[in-house]
Amino acid sequence: MKKSFSKKTVLLPLPVYIIGTYDEEGKANAMNLAWGVQCGYHEVSFSIAKEHKTTKNILLKKAFTISLATKSLKDISDYFGIVSGNREDKIEKSGVHIVKSENVDAPVIEEYPLTLECKVIDVQEELGDYRIVAEIVNTLIDESVLDEKGQLDVDKLKLITFDSVTNSYRILGEVVGQAFKDGAKIKTGK
Ligand SMILES: Cc1cc2nc3c(=O)[nH]c(=O)nc-3n(C[C@H](O)[C@H](O)[C@H](O)COP(=O)(O)O)c2cc1C
C-alpha cells in the first residue's frame, strides 16, 4: 500500500557540485549545488537562484567549473552552501587554493580531485530561478585518484551525495552490479 505525499520531491541521489566562478574583478567564488544533472555525453544542466553571487558570475563570464565534493572536503563544501560570496570571501576563509582554468574563464580549486571545466550554452528563466545548460570542455582528475592503468578509480574519490530527505551528506556506496549487462539474463531468459 503506497501513501501520497503531494509534490514532495525525492529524486535521490542528488549530487554535491561545487560551482567555481570569477566575478568582474577576477575574484574566485565557490558554491554548493545539488539540483544539477548530466544531460548528454558532455552537457550539464542545473537550477540556480537569481540572488546568488555565483549566478551573477556565470551570467557575466559564461563559464564555471564543477568540482565533485568528497568526504574529506565535506565541511568546506557545506560552508560553500551556507554562506554567500556576496557577504564574505569564501575562498580566503576556507583556505582552499585556486588556479585559473586553462580552458574556461573560471577557477579550479586545487583541493578537489575531480573538476569539470564548463562553458555556458543556454540560460533559461524558469519559476523565478535560472536553468543553466553548459558544455563540459575538459575534465581535470588528480593523479591520486587514478588506478594503475591511469583511469579514474571512483572508490578512491569517496564522493558524497546530498540526501534532501534528512538534509545529510552520504557517501557514494559499493558496486552492486554492471550496467548494460545485468539485465541481459532477463532479456535472453537465461
Ligand atoms: C546541500 C546544498 C545544496 C544546495 N543546492 C542549491 C541548488 O541546487 N541551487 C541553488 O540555487 N542553491 C543551492 N544551495 C544554496 C547555495 O549554495 C547558497 O545559497 C550559497 O550561499 C550561494 O553562494 P553564492 O552567493 O556565493 O553563490 C545549496 C546549498 C546546500 C548546502
Side-chain angles (χ1 to χ4, degrees), residues 1 6 17 30 37 44 49 75 92 95 110 114-115 118 127 136-137 155-156 169 172 184:
M1 171 90 167
S6 185
Y17 292 161
V37 69
V44 62
D75 294 353
E92 192 186 351
E110 292 202 286
L114 196 154
T115 300
C118 306
L127 303 172
I136 292 131
V137 296
D155 286 327
K156 286 186 180 170
Y169 296 108
L172 190 70

Side-chain angles (χ1 to χ4, degrees), residues 3-147:
K3 285 187 180 176
S4 279
F5 286 85
S6 185
K7 284 168 76 170
K8 182 177 173 66
T9 306
V10 183
L11 267 177
L12 300 177
L14 288 168
V16 184
Y17 292 161
I18 303 303
I19 311 293
T21 54
Y22 281 129
D23 70 9
E24 63 280 1
E25 288 162 5
K27 202 163 134 183
N29 187 47
M31 85 163 247
N32 183 322
L33 184 139
W35 291 339
V37 69
Q38 181 175 351
C39 56
Y41 280 113
H42 308 294
E43 282 164 40
V44 62
S45 174
F46 58 76
S47 171
I48 189 163
K50 281 185 178 169
E51 69 269 18
H52 296 337
K53 173 149 189 168
T54 300
T55 313
K56 196 174 157 206
N57 290 354
I58 289 174
L59 297 179
L60 178 78
K61 299 285 186 178
K62 301 274 184 282
F64 57 87
T65 56
I66 299 179
S67 296
L68 302 186
T70 62
K71 189 179 173 195
S72 62
L73 294 162
K74 164 184 65 74
D75 294 353
I76 287 175
S77 300
D78 193 55
Y79 165 68
F80 289 153
I82 56 178
V83 172
S84 173
N86 289 322
R87 290 179 166 269
E88 63 188 46
D89 185 338
K90 291 191 263 187
I91 302 302
E92 192 186 351
K93 193 153 182 182
S94 64
V96 295
H97 299 87
I98 298 295
V99 290
K100 191 180 180 311
S101 159
E102 289 179 9
N103 300 292
V104 297
D105 193 359
V108 175
I109 307 174
E110 292 202 286
E111 282 75 3
Y112 285 81
L114 196 154
T115 300
L116 308 175
E117 299 167 300
C118 306
K119 274 188 186 158
V120 173
I121 52 179
D122 193 28
V123 178
Q124 298 156 15
E125 227 178 316
E126 279 179 31
L127 303 172
D129 294 331
Y130 283 117
R131 193 72 42 85
I132 309 285
V133 182
E135 180 192 356
I136 292 131
V137 296
N138 189 50
T139 300
L140 298 168
I141 307 178
D142 202 275
E143 283 183 8
S144 62
V145 293
L146 299 181
D147 64 18

